[in-house]
Amino acid sequence: MLNAKIPSGPLENKWADYKGHCKLVNPANKRKLEVIVVGTGLAGASAAASLGELGYKVKAFCFQDSPRRAHSIAAQGGINAAKNYQNDGDSVFRLFYDTIKGGDYRAREANVHRLAEVSTNIIDQCVAQGVPFAREYGGLLSNRSFGGTQVQRTFYAAGQTGQQLLIGAYQALERQVALGNVTMYSRHEMLEVVTIDGKARGIIARDLVNGQLERHFGHAVLLCSGGYGNVFYLSTNAMGSNVTAAWKAHKKGAAFANPCFTQIHPTCIPVSGDHQSKLTLMSESLRNDGRIWVPKKQNDTRKATDIPEEERDYYLERRYPAFGNLVPRDVASRAAKERCDAGYGVGSSKQAVYLDYADAILRYGKIEAGKQGKSNLPESDIIALGKEVVKAKYGNLFDMYEKITGENPYEVPMRIYPAVHYTMGGLWVDYELQTTVPGLYALGEANFSDHGANRLGASALMQGLADGYFVIPYTLGNNLADEIYNKAIETSHPAFEEAEKAVSDRIHQLMNIKGKQSVESFHKRLGKIMWDKCGMARNKEGLEQAIREIQALKKEFWSDVRIPGEINEMNTELDKANRVADFIELGELMCVDALNRNESCGGHFREEYQTPEGEALRDDAGFMYVSAWELKGEHQWQLHQEPLNYEVIKPTQRNYK
């Protein structure tokens, strides 16, 4: 079932050889081919813009009112690229190596090397679009450090890199809309994939304003719909982020890969109560200059500023001296949990650690004083100078923290705790980004291909733009070259009628339940099950319990959920119900996958499998493969394994000490 289509030859030549030998579609024929793009975040907007520029007839579907509201806008810290501007030893190979190692040797070599190769092109593309990356005094682009690396390769625009990159992609997309090459369908949600003779040939979409179902044909369908972190309810994702598009593809035959690989981000504002509907991310870039610590004394109730230096435990620097505060996210998250569980947590909940900028402010202040030729300044003046430097680099993040918590992080340390962030799992795709359903592609976070069991910080933006700008224009053409003789299929075709009826029947079934419980209450209960039993740590007993609880929750949902309003109108509760129903089914598969993988790797930490020091203990002999699950029936999946053959990198126990 799984054919990864990895080109032969040396790893460093695979992508160049592929591009040199793939099939092409001439410009006149591109105008005859229709492509559907679902999702208009970084992956979707860049793909739609690129394909429109090439001449394809593109339809782009966006469930928000504008592509500018895609969750890509929330990415803060930066985007990786192997340009070696800092002359600190970076290279394409080192970015490739760091990504494979950071993913705990559970990613496909060929895809990751291609990602590292095209990373350098992305920065040039974005600069040409006018993305305002931070620059050094002399005008050159600036870089900063991120977790899991020992070089500075992260390009950034203050703490709003995702927003600036999305605006660049959005402008490119809107240009193609104005030229007539892309038709934009905002406030439309894909609810079904239409297949004809085993190939994806279109979608059924719901107009979220009037509730009408629509049929759309495409010679190919690209899913760029993001990740599924909201299965946990509380996450750093936007409230609208969901798995529905990918899950509908899964139910139509597309294999779902590594669903249990979810990323816990170490620097988020801690949960403050049951009233919360989402969590707020504090960028990993803050670990670039901030120091993470807890008191050396258990249950210490003193204020952070009252705890002297010698009574502070900078535990990441102590445990991982080579990388310090810049260990990968999974390592930093587990270390924070371990300290809090051991009784060293801070804040009212004791489920937090400190992220402290006092040393950085003092260091930057001294540098600034030297630049200005000022000596013998009092410490208060040095601190004032340092605060201005930190404000220029991280100001919007500090402002955001103060607005949410009421505390000034220039004066007192931030309190942070891990939270669900990114999902490394997703639809299984081959080297061409095609799923197991011919004609159906998955790009960006919607696929599984590049990050293994743990994504390195600043690589999400890199993958989304790589897939959209530099990969899919080649790989899609290679397959559409055989479609130039196939005319557009009328949406009156029985396959479209059947797909629309299935969607309509499901919507009516949901509306006719007329139970007593809200959609939100089911989502919260699902999230608690997932976080408690398939979150930062998992074990066999908990996962088996979770599967039983989710199956019972699904039964209860379909018999007692209450959805107010009508079908043929704007009905956000109905939209949410559709998505939560899919999340419940996904949650079960995530637990099945986690139960099957009897090892710890990256973000998947099985308590039964750990080293004496508490680190993840992989089982390369038993689990060096991608888990690709095929749906066989309700509560039934078949596992397909794609072996991971490492030709260049030798898997070893990860060591950041």
Side-chain angles (χ1 to χ4, degrees), residues 406-568:
E407 297 175 354
N408 182 352
Y410 294 103
E411 305 292 338
V412 297
M414 297 182 191
R415 284 174 291 108
I416 58 168
Y417 193 72
V420 172
H421 181 50
Y422 187 89
T423 52
M424 286 75 66
L427 292 175
W428 184 91
V429 293
D430 59 22
Y431 189 73
E432 297 182 324
L433 305 184
Q434 189 168 213
T435 69
T436 52
V437 176
L440 182 66
Y441 296 77
L443 283 66
E445 194 179 356
N447 74 33
F448 87 99
S449 66
D450 290 11
H451 306 298
N454 171 64
R455 178 178 68 82
L456 291 184
S459 287
L461 304 182
M462 176 174 63
Q463 188 210 346
L465 292 180
D467 287 355
Y469 282 138
F470 298 108
V471 178
I472 200 67
Y474 288 96
T475 63
L476 183 65
N478 189 51
N479 291 289
L480 287 185
D482 298 327
E483 295 285 339
I484 59 174
Y485 304 105
N486 297 326
K487 293 184 179 179
I489 298 171
E490 294 295 327
T491 55
S492 57
H493 188 283
F496 279 92
E497 291 186 7
E498 184 182 326
E500 183 180 325
K501 183 178 184 304
V503 174
S504 178
D505 289 349
R506 175 181 158 105
I507 289 173
H508 280 86
Q509 184 183 356
L510 280 167
M511 292 299 294
N512 289 332
I513 295 170
K514 301 188 186 304
K516 297 182 176 63
Q517 300 181 62
S518 69
V519 177
E520 193 84 350
S521 67
F522 281 102
H523 196 179
K524 270 189 177 182
R525 286 166 61 191
L526 173 67
K528 180 163 177 52
I529 295 169
M530 294 300 296
W531 178 249
D532 289 347
K533 293 172 178 144
C534 194
M536 237 193 300
R538 302 104 186 253
N539 59 56
K540 183 176 185 289
E541 182 184 0
L543 290 167
E544 289 172 343
Q545 287 177 359
I547 291 169
R548 292 193 296 270
E549 290 174 15
I550 293 169
Q551 289 176 350
L553 186 71
K554 178 180 179 180
K555 192 173 180 181
E556 189 179 346
F557 175 89
W558 283 97
S559 61
D560 199 32
V561 73
R562 179 180 180 276
I563 305 169
E566 303 296 330
I567 292 174
N568 293 320

Side-chain angles (χ1 to χ4, degrees), residues 24-35 50-59 176 179-183 217-219 476-477 480-481 483-488:
L24 301 175
V25 182
N26 80 43
N29 285 330
K30 286 190 179 88
R31 291 193 288 271
K32 301 173 186 175
L33 296 171
E34 299 181 36
V35 180
S50 300
L51 297 174
E53 182 84 39
L54 286 170
Y56 294 105
K57 291 199 292 186
V58 180
K59 297 178 183 177
Q176 294 307 313
L179 292 172
N181 298 327
V182 177
T183 304
F217 166 81
H219 288 92
L476 183 65
L480 287 185
E483 295 285 339
I484 59 174
Y485 304 105
N486 297 326
K487 293 184 179 179

Side-chain angles (χ1 to χ4, degrees), residues 15-49:
W15 181 231
D17 286 350
Y18 177 92
K19 290 190 294 182
H21 295 92
C22 64
K23 297 175 187 175
L24 301 175
V25 182
N26 80 43
N29 285 330
K30 286 190 179 88
R31 291 193 288 271
K32 301 173 186 175
L33 296 171
E34 299 181 36
V35 180
I36 288 173
V37 178
V38 178
T40 50
L42 280 181
S46 59

Side-chain angles (χ1 to χ4, degrees), residues 174-367:
E174 286 302 305
R175 178 172 178 270
Q176 294 307 313
V177 171
L179 292 172
N181 298 327
V182 177
T183 304
M184 176 62 67
Y185 293 87
S186 59
R187 285 288 182 188
H188 279 66
E189 183 168 24
M190 186 205 103
L191 293 180
E192 186 61 286
V193 178
V194 180
T195 57
I196 299 175
D197 297 328
K199 283 188 174 182
R201 290 303 192 197
I203 65 170
I204 304 298
R206 182 168 182 267
D207 184 325
L208 298 181
V209 176
N210 60 29
Q212 298 295 315
L213 297 180
E214 299 177 4
R215 308 172 185 179
H216 295 275
F217 166 81
H219 288 92
V221 176
L222 278 55
L223 301 183
C224 312
S225 50
Y228 51 87
N230 274 352
V231 69
F232 291 90
Y233 186 70
L234 285 179
S235 82
T236 65
N237 290 268
M239 285 299 292
S241 297
N242 63 83
V243 76
T244 288
W247 197 249
K248 300 309 183 193
H250 177 55
K251 296 187 88 164
K252 266 297 173 75
F256 211 102
N258 297 338
C260 77
F261 286 171
T262 54
Q263 180 168 77
I264 313 295
H265 198 294
T267 52
C268 299
I269 297 178
V271 176
S272 59
D274 291 338
H275 62 283
Q276 274 184 280
S277 57
K278 78 176 298 294
L279 297 174
T280 303
L281 170 71
M282 299 308 296
S283 169
E284 181 167 310
S285 63
L286 292 173
R287 289 201 280 147
N288 190 55
D289 283 314
R291 299 179 72 192
I292 295 172
W293 63 276
V294 292
K296 287 183 178 179
K297 188 173 76 172
Q298 288 180 318
N299 302 311
D300 196 327
T301 57
R302 289 176 291 176
K303 293 180 181 178
T305 50
D306 292 338
I307 300 175
E309 185 73 15
E310 62 272 14
E311 295 181 35
R312 300 179 179 188
D313 178 16
Y314 295 92
Y315 59 90
L316 290 178
E317 298 172 30
R318 169 174 56 81
R319 289 178 60 178
Y320 309 102
F323 282 72
N325 295 295
L326 288 172
V327 291
R329 292 175 175 178
D330 60 316
V331 177
S333 294
R334 280 196 297 275
K337 182 179 187 297
E338 184 275 328
R339 288 288 82 191
C340 291
D341 290 350
Y344 297 94
V346 301
S348 57
S349 68
K350 299 299 179 185
Q351 292 294 301
V353 299
Y354 288 128
L355 175 61
D356 197 333
Y357 258 73
D359 284 359
I361 288 171
L362 197 59
R363 184 177 75 252
Y364 282 127
K366 289 177 180 177
I367 293 170

